[in-house]
Amino acid sequence: MAVKKNTTTTMATKAHKADKKAPTPVQKKAIAKVQKKDISDHDDSQSEDDNEEDKENEEDEENQEQDEEATQEDTANGNNNESEPSNVTFKDLGLMQPLVDACEQLKFKAPTEIQRESIPWSLQGRDIIGLAQTGSGKTAAFALPILQALWNNPSPMFACVMAPTRELAVQISETFESLGSTIGVRCCVIVGGMDMMAQSIALSKKPHIIVCTPGRLQDHLENTKGFSLRTLKYLVLDEADRLLDMDFGPIIDQILKVIPKERNTFLFSATMTTKVAKLQRASLNNPVKVEVATKYSTVSTLLQYYLFFPLKSKDSYLVYLLNELAGNSTIVFSRTCNDTQRITLLLRNLGFPAIPLHGQLSQEKRLGALNKFKSGNRNILIATDVASRGLDIPSVDIVLNYDLPNNSKDYIHRVGRTARAGRSGKSITFVTQYDVEVYQRIEQALSKKLEEFPTDKDAVMLLQERVAEAQRFAITELKEQHASRGKGGRGGNKRLFNADDNDRDDDSVQAGGYKSKSGAARGNRQGKKMRK
Ligand SMILES: Nc1ncnc2c1ncn2[C@@H]1O[C@H](COP(=O)(O)OP(=O)(O)OP(=O)(O)O)[C@@H](O)[C@H]1O
């Protein structure tokens, strides 16, 4: 095993010894503050009706239940509890010098509240349930103690971090690599949509940290010769409430059967389930619940708005807003892959630099879309909820909920793609005559009424004709894509949007609009430009 022990060995050894000793005053303070939340004494959730779990097979009921849970919890806990200023340093938390240095290199001036409150516990070897707002640094909160433990007791397959989406897994791995750069950590990403053989080879090289999506991990556990997680010391479920829900829960159950019971388990999310049965799925051992926010709180730097209009005007409002907010980096969330694709085509027809991200694209295209958006090559990402959790793209200014999310949890995660790490951001949620009930549940969960985003309705109406024309072109293009896939195109019907024509690498964004290398504003067939 080759965790690089460098010149900081002495300091590391000291830090390690310090860990084994009594907690420092700062640790004591943090521990005292959190002690009251020790889940072993914190069984308010146990009073919840276990029968509610039985309802989980029906999605609508689950959504409703989540929203009801939100309302109850908010009433019980009050509101937002954002980080107070603190002089505590990473060193004070008991972290060894190489990790303190890595934080410095990443320009982390001081630990965030979830880091301050959870890291001392994690270093003490406790299991953690960590709840903190979106963009509050939860990844480092679980990564730093694992890296320290790895340094102290190096072994392959030391930790496994599970995430609900492939893109998030890649991002978490990058965080481990940058925080662990000073100690030579080796990470491996195991996600669906990528070559199994290449992953098997990567696993055979005995990485320290495996970051994965559950389905692909299970696949390797069952089918990759010589691969096991017998030496695993840490298991992390990031976006734990999602991983413990009915989609992923059964796979997690299977995985838990084949990993050591003697391990540490960390559950982290911005929205956590209080259902004991769900938490028990993760087989926690005397966990500490570290809550630095109420379950459904958003950060104060996020300005949230709604817009109410009839369904038929939805695309016109979208185009109007993107015109008004031109120059901002924007994520537009829609409900289905098909609509994501349709909206992208519509916007491209009007000259907007939009790029789609959804589950029916090949993994290569998903990562490509994300990279183009991250790099600013495209500044409008049209996405399904595949992009709603965890993705950390500091440049995002605006989140537009074109379609309402299914429940309040998804709302919290979606709008949390902006206003991260103390930055400001805006979210605008479209509400039509069919969405009022769901929208009201979201407001109830947030415990506040959102303001209406100011618009010039006459200007929106003036756009209608051109938008209608672009809609027709988009539908025709979409039908052509479906037809070409149906005629034996790559991927057949299952992967309707795999082909290059949906995510053209030959496109280039030129000042003021979206153009192809062929010269004319591609897709802008009307020769009109909507962008300002
Ligand atoms: N102590 C710190 N000081 C400054 N920035 C930090 C610190 N810790 C983490 N960050 C940065 O904050 C951003 C958000 O962190 P991270 O992605 O871990 O948030 P999160 O809480 O997991 O959010 P989400 O709930 O959306 O997944 C990242 O860009 C990360 O590099």
Side-chain angles (χ1 to χ4, degrees):
M1 142 80 206
V3 167
K4 195 167 72 197
K5 299 239 173 185
N6 60 16
T7 48
T8 50
T9 310
T10 325
M11 278 180 282
T13 315
K14 274 187 194 158
H16 175 42
K17 281 181 185 155
D19 287 345
K20 303 269 174 195
K21 287 186 209 153
T24 64
V26 175
Q27 283 177 303
K28 272 189 196 154
K29 202 171 151 208
I31 288 166
K33 199 169 167 195
V34 185
Q35 194 88 55
K36 59 180 185 293
K37 292 174 186 162
D38 191 324
I39 191 103
S40 51
D41 310 321
H42 175 103
D43 60 355
D44 55 352
S45 49
Q46 293 195 5
S47 63
E48 289 180 43
D49 189 356
D50 278 350
N51 291 335
E52 289 220 25
E53 292 291 321
D54 298 335
K55 293 182 193 165
E56 282 182 359
N57 292 333
E58 288 174 59
E59 199 176 312
D60 287 348
E61 288 184 7
E62 164 116 341
N63 290 335
Q64 181 122 24
E65 180 196 310
Q66 284 175 354
D67 289 343
E68 280 163 10
E69 221 181 282
T71 316
Q72 285 162 11
E73 183 106 339
D74 278 350
T75 322
N77 290 352
N79 252 329
N80 198 350
N81 171 20
E82 271 171 57
S83 188
E84 304 143 21
S86 156
N87 296 327
V88 175
T89 65
F90 283 104
K91 184 101 191 150
D92 294 335
L93 299 181
L95 288 170
M96 62 187 197
Q97 196 58 39
L99 295 177
V100 174
D101 293 343
C103 291
E104 235 166 68
Q105 277 164 24
L106 291 174
K107 310 245 178 318
F108 295 177
K109 289 198 182 102
T112 63
E113 194 171 5
I114 183 69
Q115 293 162 0
R116 284 203 307 273
E117 296 216 1
S118 66
I119 289 175
W121 282 107
S122 312
L123 291 175
Q124 291 228 331
R126 293 291 294 270
D127 284 0
I128 304 284
I129 299 174
L131 176 73
Q133 288 156 330
T134 52
S136 61
K138 292 186 288 296
T139 317
F142 62 72
L144 288 165
I146 290 176
L147 288 166
Q148 179 142 322
L150 173 68
W151 171 267
N152 291 330
N153 183 19
S155 75
M157 313 295 185
F158 189 79
C160 173
V161 183
M162 289 193 218
T165 67
R166 302 162 184 182
E167 290 75 15
L168 181 54
V170 171
Q171 181 185 295
I172 293 168
S173 171
E174 286 166 0
T175 303
F176 266 93
E177 275 167 359
S178 47
L179 286 171
S181 60
T182 51
I183 64 167
V185 70
R186 286 196 314 270
C187 298
C188 171
V189 179
I190 299 295
V191 295
M194 305 297 262
D195 184 38
M196 277 285 282
M197 186 50 77
Q199 291 176 354
S200 304
I201 294 168
L203 288 172
S204 72
K205 293 183 179 155
K206 310 279 179 215
H208 305 122
I209 314 284
I210 297 170
V211 191
C212 61
T213 46
R216 182 54 70 94
L217 178 72
Q218 190 190 26
D219 209 347
H220 279 285
L221 284 167
E222 283 171 3
N223 301 312
T224 299
K225 233 177 139 202
F227 169 59
S228 88
L229 289 175
R230 274 195 304 272
T231 57
L232 195 76
K233 301 285 187 293
Y234 283 83
L235 174 70
V236 182
L237 304 189
D238 192 20
E239 309 296 342
D241 54 324
R242 175 79 182 107
L243 289 176
L244 294 170
D245 76 8
M246 60 183 173
D247 292 333
F248 288 103
I251 305 177
I252 304 278
D253 291 345
Q254 293 300 315
I255 294 170
L256 286 165
K257 279 186 196 150
V258 298
I259 64 174
K261 297 215 167 8
E262 289 290 305
R263 60 160 201 271
N264 282 109
T265 307
F266 297 161
L267 310 186
F268 277 83
S269 187
T271 53
M272 194 62 82
T273 180
T274 52
K275 299 277 177 288
V276 170
K278 278 189 186 174
L279 293 173
Q280 274 169 349
R281 250 199 164 121
S283 317
L284 295 152
N285 175 24
N286 189 23
V288 182
K289 190 170 186 185
V290 184
E291 278 178 289
V292 301
T294 60
K295 199 170 58 166
Y296 286 70
S297 66
T298 50
V299 293
S300 61
T301 51
L302 172 71
L303 299 176
Q304 301 171 76
Y305 301 92
Y306 76 93
L307 257 180
F308 184 70
F309 46 71
L311 179 67
K312 63 177 173 23
S313 304
K314 214 171 188 181
D315 286 339
S316 299
Y317 270 91
L318 176 67
V319 171
Y320 166 83
L321 278 181
L322 290 176
N323 246 335
E324 287 298 307
L325 303 168
N328 286 288
S329 179
T330 304
I331 303 183
V332 178
F333 280 105
S334 89
R335 189 168 293 132
T336 65
C337 299
N338 202 60
D339 223 23
T340 302
Q341 201 67 20
R342 186 194 66 82
I343 295 167
T344 306
L345 293 169
L346 167 87
L347 292 175
R348 285 179 171 186
N349 278 328
L350 293 168
F352 290 95
I355 193 157
L357 176 62
H358 56 76
Q360 286 198 356
L361 292 171
S362 68
Q363 190 52 28
E364 221 171 291
K365 294 216 166 297
R366 280 167 62 165
L367 289 171
L370 201 56
N371 286 337
K372 281 180 189 168
F373 182 63
K374 274 184 176 174
S375 68
N377 192 318
R378 303 281 195 281
N379 71 0
I380 303 172
L381 184 73
I382 317 293
T384 57
D385 275 312
V386 79
S388 67
R389 283 195 180 240
L391 291 185
D392 182 54
I393 308 170
S395 59
V396 176
D397 304 301
I398 293 161
V399 169
L400 273 179
N401 284 316
Y402 176 89
D403 290 319
L404 271 191
N406 287 328
N407 55 53
S408 310
K409 277 190 182 182
D410 289 346
Y411 175 89
I412 296 287
H413 289 279
R414 281 183 180 187
V415 298
R417 293 320 96 211
T418 185
R420 299 176 68 75
R423 292 181 195 85
S424 56
K426 272 195 197 88
S427 71
I428 305 168
T429 297
F430 287 1
V431 186
T432 72
Q433 66 272 34
Y434 303 108
D435 304 320
V436 175
E437 200 185 317
V438 178
Y439 177 72
Q440 283 175 340
R441 284 217 303 270
I442 291 172
E443 275 196 339
Q444 232 178 330
L446 292 169
S447 302
K448 62 176 164 193
K449 295 257 171 240
L450 305 190
E451 270 179 49
E452 183 162 14
F453 192 79
T455 53
D456 176 350
K457 291 194 174 50
D458 293 338
V460 178
M461 292 308 118
L462 284 177
L463 289 172
Q464 271 185 335
E465 212 176 301
R466 286 163 79 185
V467 171
E469 201 181 346
Q471 280 173 331
R472 284 193 292 276
F473 280 121
I475 296 288
T476 308
E477 281 182 84
L478 203 55
K479 279 186 183 156
E480 281 167 13
Q481 287 171 8
H482 282 242
S484 74
R485 293 313 136 243
K487 279 186 206 145
R490 263 193 303 145
N493 283 332
K494 275 191 182 167
R495 292 249 174 241
L496 289 171
F497 307 114
N498 262 357
D500 290 345
D501 51 354
N502 297 299
D503 182 4
R504 301 172 188 86
D505 287 334
D506 58 343
D507 288 336
S508 60
V509 177
Q510 297 175 7
Y514 172 85
K515 297 191 181 168
S516 76
K517 279 183 184 158
S518 61
R522 190 255 149 252
N524 194 1
R525 293 181 186 173
Q526 305 117 307
K528 294 170 186 168
K529 189 151 301 158
M530 299 300 298
R531 296 281 315 276
K532 276 181 174 171

